Amino acid sequence: MNCNNIMNLLKEYSACGISGIRGKKNALLCLICCMIVIVMTACCSVPAEKEYVVPEISTDSAAAPQAVVPESPQQLMYAYERTPAAEEPLTFKEIYVYLMEGYEKWLNVDAPFSSLAYFGTEVGTYGSLLRVPVRKKLPDLQRPVYLVATCQSMSLSHFVLDPQFKLRDPLIQELVAATEPYDGLDVDYEYIPGKDGQHFLEFLTHLKKKLGNKKLRVCVKARVRELQNDVYPYKKISEIADSIMVMAYDEHWSTSAPGEVASMDWCRRVAEYALSQVPAEKLVMGLPFYGRSWVEPKLNRAYRFPVLNDVLTENNVVKVERRDGVPWCEYDVTAHVSVWFDDAYSVIQRARMYKDMGVQRIAFWSMGQEDPEVWNYLQVED
C-alpha cells in the first residue's frame, strides 16, 4: 500500500468523524487523523530524486573561443654560464609535445614537433567527463593533435574500469565523442589500483575498437624491470595501442629526497627495459622540461602546542600578537634550497642517449616549461 492509498483512507475516516462526532474520543481521533493527513501530504509531495543523466560534452561549437595567439619565444638572459648542447641537431622520426590547457600562449608553433597532445579532459565524481578542451583554442598547426584523457583518483579509476559498476562503457562512448575533433586520444591514467590491471587492458581494447581509425596512445609509468601483477604491462599494452609513451621522469618528486627529475643512469635503465618490451615503432620515450626545488628545513606543518612552544623558544620569539584573541607571530630562519632541473644541454644529452640506444620517437612534458634554446638542437625526420 503506497502513500496515496493510506492518505485516502485517512481522509475518509476524518470526514466521517467530522460529520458524526460522538463524544471527546471520536473528536480526538478525528483530529489525529487530520494531522496525519497533513504530515503525509507534505512528505509524499516531495518529488522523487531524478536519475543521474550523463551530461553531453560539448567538444566544438559555433560559440567556441577563438584561437589563442601564441607569444613570441622568450629571449632569456641566462643566470649562469652556458655549455653548448650539441654541434648539430638531433633527428628523430617523431617528436611529440604536450601542452596544458591554459598554456596556449606559450605554444611555440615554429618548434620542430610532429604532433601535439592537448591536456586534457578528466573523469568527474560520477564517472563521466568533466570537460573537454576546445581544439579551436589552438592555432592551425597542420600537424596531428591528440586529446589527453586522465583520471586523477584511484577510487574513480576502479569504478570506471571495473565493468560491474556499469560506468566503463558510457565513459568510452564519451571519450570517443570527445575525440571527434581530434586526430587521436592519449590515455594518461596514472592511478590504477593493483587489482584493476586486467580491467585496464579490457578498457583499452574496447576503447581502441570504438575509436576506429583514430590513433590511441597510452602513457605508462617508468619501469626498470617487470613487476609482479603490474597494472602497466608494457608488452600487453603495446599489442592494443598504436604507441606507448613511457613517462621517464619524476624519479625524484616534491616529497622525496632532493635529486634529479630524471637522472641519466635511471633513464638508460628505463629505456633498456622499454626497448625489451615494446616494438621500436611503437615506443615513445618521455622527457621532462621542468625542474623541482626542495627546502630545508621543511616548515609547513601542523603543530601540537608543546612542540610549537619549543620552536618559539628556540627561535627567540617573545612577542606574540592576537587577532580577535587568536595568537600569531612571525620569525625568520635560514633555509637551504636544492634545485634540480633540465636545460637545453641536459635535455639534448638525454635525447642523444635514447637515440644511440635505438629510440626513434620522443615526447616532452610540457610545452612552455622548456629552455627555449632546446629547439635549436632538434629536428624531425622528413
Side-chain angles (χ1 to χ4, degrees):
M1 182 177 288
N2 58 30
C3 289
N4 291 333
N5 297 140
I6 296 172
M7 287 171 60
N8 289 335
L9 289 174
L10 289 170
K11 286 176 181 178
E12 290 179 9
Y13 188 87
S14 301
C16 292
I18 291 172
S19 61
I21 293 176
R22 295 289 188 274
K24 292 183 179 179
K25 287 185 179 180
N26 280 350
L28 180 60
L29 185 58
C30 176
L31 179 61
I32 292 172
C33 288
C34 290
M35 291 177 68
I36 292 174
V37 169
I38 293 170
V39 171
M40 290 193 69
T41 299
C43 294
C44 294
S45 62
V46 176
E49 183 179 355
K50 292 183 179 179
E51 181 182 356
Y52 178 76
V53 178
V54 176
E56 282 191 21
I57 302 294
S58 175
T59 59
D60 212 344
S61 69
Q66 296 296 313
V68 176
V69 178
E71 295 181 350
S72 299
Q74 290 178 288
Q75 299 298 319
L76 299 181
M77 294 292 292
Y78 288 97
Y80 59 98
E81 186 177 350
R82 307 284 288 173
T83 303
E87 293 182 0
E88 58 184 33
L90 285 175
T91 302
F92 287 89
K93 285 192 175 180
E94 293 183 272
I95 298 176
Y96 305 125
V97 295
Y98 286 80
L99 178 74
M100 290 187 286
E101 186 180 17
Y103 277 59
E104 293 85 2
K105 68 178 182 178
W106 287 301
L107 172 60
N108 183 350
V109 295
D110 297 320
F113 62 90
S114 50
S115 71
L116 181 141
Y118 200 16
F119 189 98
T121 183
E122 63 179 292
V123 178
T125 302
Y126 298 103
S128 60
L129 299 185
L130 287 180
R131 67 186 187 284
V132 176
V134 179
R135 183 170 177 173
K136 285 186 177 180
K137 290 173 69 177
L138 301 174
D140 185 6
L141 298 174
Q142 299 295 312
R143 283 165 278 192
V145 178
Y146 286 66
L147 171 66
V148 181
T150 69
C151 188
Q152 303 289 343
S153 159
M154 190 166 285
S155 56
L156 266 179
S157 296
H158 170 63
F159 286 116
V160 299
L161 293 177
D162 190 332
Q164 71 168 312
F165 298 108
K166 311 298 183 185
L167 294 173
R168 185 191 69 186
D169 292 345
L171 177 60
I172 288 175
Q173 291 176 1
E174 283 190 84
L175 286 169
V176 172
T179 309
E180 185 60 31
Y182 291 89
D183 301 290
L185 182 66
D186 186 303
V187 174
D188 182 14
Y189 280 26
E190 300 183 32
Y191 299 91
I192 300 174
K195 294 182 180 180
D196 287 309
Q198 183 59 37
H199 293 146
F200 184 49
L201 293 176
E202 293 169 0
F203 169 79
L204 294 175
T205 300
H206 288 288
L207 181 58
K208 173 58 181 171
K209 183 178 179 180
K210 294 290 186 181
L211 283 171
N213 294 328
K214 292 185 183 280
K215 300 293 185 180
L216 174 64
R217 184 189 303 149
V218 179
C219 298
V220 295
K221 292 186 177 181
R223 300 283 190 257
V224 297
R225 65 182 184 281
E226 185 175 357
L227 303 181
Q228 186 176 7
N229 300 321
D230 195 354
V231 297
Y232 302 104
Y234 286 15
K235 187 174 183 179
K236 291 181 179 178
I237 294 175
S238 70
E239 292 170 354
I240 301 168
D242 295 290
S243 60
I244 286 186
M245 201 282 278
V246 179
M247 298 181 288
Y249 37 81
D250 279 345
E251 178 187 4
H252 296 88
W253 57 97
S254 58
T255 57
S256 76
E260 303 96 319
V261 174
S263 68
M264 295 297 176
D265 180 64
W266 179 75
C267 288
R268 177 187 55 78
R269 291 184 288 127
V270 171
E272 285 176 345
Y273 175 69
L275 284 163
S276 74
Q277 300 293 310
V278 182
E281 65 272 15
K282 288 191 173 188
L283 177 62
V284 183
M285 290 301 300
L287 295 83
F289 274 153
Y290 60 93
R292 290 190 184 278
S293 65
W294 291 261
V295 180
E296 290 290 345
K298 297 181 177 68
L299 299 174
N300 291 346
R301 55 170 294 187
Y303 285 103
R304 295 185 300 112
F305 183 84
V307 175
L308 177 59
N309 189 65
D310 290 342
V311 170
L312 299 183
T313 301
E314 292 168 3
N315 288 278
N316 299 314
V317 177
V318 294
K319 182 180 179 181
V320 172
E321 299 185 23
R322 293 181 182 274
R323 180 178 298 165
D324 294 333
V326 180
W328 71 278
C329 63
E330 294 178 332
Y331 61 92
D332 296 321
V333 297
T334 300
H336 177 74
V337 182
S338 298
V339 183
W340 289 88
F341 62 101
D342 277 290
D343 60 8
Y345 182 86
S346 63
V347 169
I348 296 304
Q349 297 310 304
R350 188 179 296 109
R352 178 179 287 108
M353 178 183 69
Y354 287 150
K355 184 177 176 66
D356 291 343
M357 295 176 69
V359 174
Q360 304 168 9
R361 296 163 178 82
I362 58 174
F364 291 109
W365 179 269
S366 66
M367 182 75 82
Q369 299 178 343
E370 74 273 18
D371 174 355
E373 216 176 70
V374 72
W375 300 119
N376 298 331
Y377 302 102
L378 291 168
Q379 63 185 18
V380 178
E381 191 175 288
D382 292 332

